[in-house]
């Protein structure tokens, strides 16, 4: 089967909007399904927007009947780990019940291919690094549990009803579209790179650095940053593989690179030419010491290689985007 249209649930959000652009660049039509609860209408630029919540069966059904997508990409989810601990019911409802509803309607309407946004948070504190797909799944957050539950639901539904799915377990998605057409616009922003950029340009005071007493070379956590455009590209490859009959795919989607938080701050200083003021803070609850992917399986299964995921490209594309969105040059000229 050849894909023509792809329904992108959560396509007005950070990763979803990059995926929509990648779908368009691949010669397919992206149909965005988003309730705009956290996504942005201005980020829907590469195809139509259907404004509906994934928990609304009628809304999902109407979008599928109108556009007849060959596959669905599911990005619509609550993602802020702290928020999940404070309001778990909201997380389970959005992430688990929402995904289940989406999949039920897909199957009722005969759409069998799903690329699902999962996370390395399903592994919890890993026993071994780099992380391979076979490691035990022991999430330590509500957020991680919602994603693991979704994967389990997808496996069961796949066995019973022939759903084909790819669960892509993201590491740290970061950076922005190299052409500056979309980028990261979370509110509130909790992620390292945008927060470091904010601090570098003097927006909102120094960045809180959560913990410098970890057992790592410089005392700060180690992460695997993957450029969001590389990540989006993997979704296209996965959708095509599913449509070609690959069977289900469960893949760690990181760059395989490792950077400490302090190394990221240095990259921000190189990109902006400005120091990043920081306030030292205690460890943030739930942060694993180190998370980085073994990328053997994703490279083999998808024929994918990251092209933009070195830390300087990640940070400089994020900087170019935020510099424009925050009007940094205009403010400097005032
Ligand atoms: N971090 C930090 N200050 C911030 C945001 C993040 O020190 O304002 C640290 C965080 O403690 C973690 C790393 O940066 O060690 C990456 O955090 P982020 O929230 O970007 O992604 P996560 O790895 O939690 O998904």
């Amino acid at each position: 089967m050849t894909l023509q249209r792809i329904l992108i649930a959560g396509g007005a959000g950070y990763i979803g909007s990059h995926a929509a652009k990648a779908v368009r660049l691949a010669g397919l039509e992206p149909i965005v399904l988003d309730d705009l609860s956290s996504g942005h209408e201005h980020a829907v630029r590469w195809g139509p927007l259907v404004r509906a919540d994934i928990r609304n069966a009628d809304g999902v059904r109407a979008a599928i009947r109108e556009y007849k997508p060959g596959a669905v990409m599911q990005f619509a989810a609550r993602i802020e780990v702290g928020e999940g601990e404070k309001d778990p019911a909201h997380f389970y409802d959005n992430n688990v019940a929402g995904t289940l509803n989406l999949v039920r309607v897909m199957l009722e309407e005969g759409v069998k291919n799903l690329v699902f946004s999962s996370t390395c948070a399903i592994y919890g504190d890993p026993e071994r690094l780099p992380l391979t797909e076979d490691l035990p799944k022991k999430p330590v957050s509500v957020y991680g549990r919602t994603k693991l539950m979704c994967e389990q639901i997808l496996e069961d539904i796949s066995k019973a009803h022939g759903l084909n799915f790819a669960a892509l377990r993201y590491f740290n998605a970061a950076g922005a579209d190299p052409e500056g057409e979309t980028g990261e616009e979370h509110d509130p922003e909790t992620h390292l790179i945008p927060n470091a950029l904010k601090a570098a340009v003097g927006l909102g005071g120094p960045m809180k650095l959560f913990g410098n007493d970890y057992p790592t070379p410089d005392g700060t956590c180690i992460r695997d940053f993957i450029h969001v455009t590389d990540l989006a590209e993997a979704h296209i490859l996965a959708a095509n593989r599913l449509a070609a009959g690959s069977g289900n795919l469960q893949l760690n989607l990181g760059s395989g690179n490792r950077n400490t938080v302090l190394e990221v701050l240095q990259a921000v200083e190189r990109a902006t030419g400005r120091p990043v003021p920081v306030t030292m803070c205690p460890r943030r609850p739930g942060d694993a010491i180190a998370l980085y992917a073994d990328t053997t399986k994703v490279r083999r299964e998808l024929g994918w290689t990251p092209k933009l995921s070195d830390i300087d490209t990640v940070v400089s594309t994020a900087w170019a985007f935020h510099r424009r969105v925050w009007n940094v040059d205009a403010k400097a000229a005032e």
Side-chain angles (χ1 to χ4, degrees):
M1 171 191 179
T2 325
L3 297 171
Q4 289 181 347
R5 279 179 295 279
I6 297 189
L7 187 72
I8 306 186
Y14 171 45
I15 301 177
S17 64
H18 288 81
K21 178 168 181 176
V23 166
R24 178 56 80 188
L25 291 178
L28 312 173
E29 190 182 10
I31 316 299
V32 169
L33 179 83
D34 202 300
D35 65 355
L36 302 181
S37 58
S38 55
H40 307 282
E41 196 160 1
H42 63 249
V44 184
R45 306 177 52 159
W46 295 278
L49 167 67
V50 178
R51 194 166 173 178
D53 188 317
I54 53 169
R55 293 167 293 182
N56 169 0
D58 291 340
V60 175
R61 194 181 322 279
I64 291 180
R65 287 196 177 163
E66 182 170 358
Y67 293 103
K68 302 185 177 38
V72 174
M73 295 181 182
Q74 156 51 343
F75 298 97
R78 307 303 314 162
I79 58 159
E80 211 267 287
V81 174
E83 188 196 329
E85 306 305 312
K86 282 190 209 123
D87 192 358
H90 187 53
F91 262 56
Y92 286 110
D93 190 36
N94 262 275
N95 297 7
V96 182
T99 298
L100 178 57
N101 187 59
L102 179 70
V103 170
R104 281 167 110 154
V105 179
M106 278 175 64
L107 291 173
E108 283 163 16
E109 298 299 320
V111 184
K112 295 238 163 182
N113 301 312
L114 175 71
V115 183
F116 175 71
S117 296
S118 188
T119 169
C120 65
I122 67 169
Y123 298 105
D125 287 314
E127 288 172 9
R128 236 186 318 110
L129 288 163
L131 268 148
T132 49
E133 286 79 358
D134 56 335
L135 281 170
K137 318 292 178 293
K138 293 187 281 191
V140 294
S141 63
V142 169
Y143 169 66
R145 280 191 286 280
T146 66
K147 293 288 183 172
L148 180 56
M149 284 177 193
C150 285
E151 285 203 27
Q152 291 164 334
I153 289 170
L154 295 178
E155 267 182 62
D156 289 338
I157 292 184
S158 175
K159 277 185 212 134
H161 304 295
L163 173 78
N164 309 309
F165 74 94
L168 302 182
R169 299 170 181 160
Y170 307 160
F171 285 66
N172 289 57
D177 171 44
E179 278 122 34
E181 294 186 298
T182 186
E184 187 167 12
E185 295 180 90
H186 294 126
D187 183 22
E189 187 52 79
T190 60
H191 293 110
L192 175 62
I193 293 174
N195 280 353
L197 289 168
K198 258 188 200 158
V201 296
L203 288 170
M207 193 198 84
K208 292 181 176 165
L209 200 164
F210 298 123
N212 64 351
D213 58 349
Y214 285 98
T216 62
D218 64 22
T220 63
C221 291
I222 297 174
R223 292 291 181 272
D224 173 336
F225 293 89
I226 171 169
H227 195 286
V228 62
T229 298
D230 285 335
L231 190 117
E233 188 57 37
H235 288 69
I236 314 291
L237 296 168
N240 281 326
R241 295 277 292 122
L242 292 178
S246 64
N248 298 336
L249 301 161
Q250 281 122 330
L251 303 172
N252 285 349
L253 187 50
S255 64
N257 299 334
R258 306 161 198 185
N259 288 103
T260 65
V261 171
L262 284 182
E263 285 168 351
V264 173
L265 299 188
Q266 286 155 11
V268 169
E269 296 187 343
R270 281 195 294 279
T272 59
R274 304 164 193 228
V276 179
V278 298
T279 307
M280 280 313 311
C281 296
R283 295 180 180 195
R284 188 171 69 175
D287 275 343
I289 301 167
L291 293 168
Y292 46 91
D294 183 322
T295 60
T296 311
K297 190 173 174 196
V298 67
R299 287 170 186 264
R300 187 185 64 227
E301 295 286 338
L302 299 184
W304 171 86
T305 32
K307 300 183 188 81
L308 300 167
S309 293
D310 63 280
I311 196 64
D312 283 310
T313 305
V314 167
V315 169
S316 61
T317 54
W319 169 230
F321 176 76
H322 283 115
R323 189 178 190 158
R324 178 173 64 73
V325 170
W326 295 334
N327 276 320
V328 171
D329 299 315
K331 282 189 188 140
E334 274 166 14

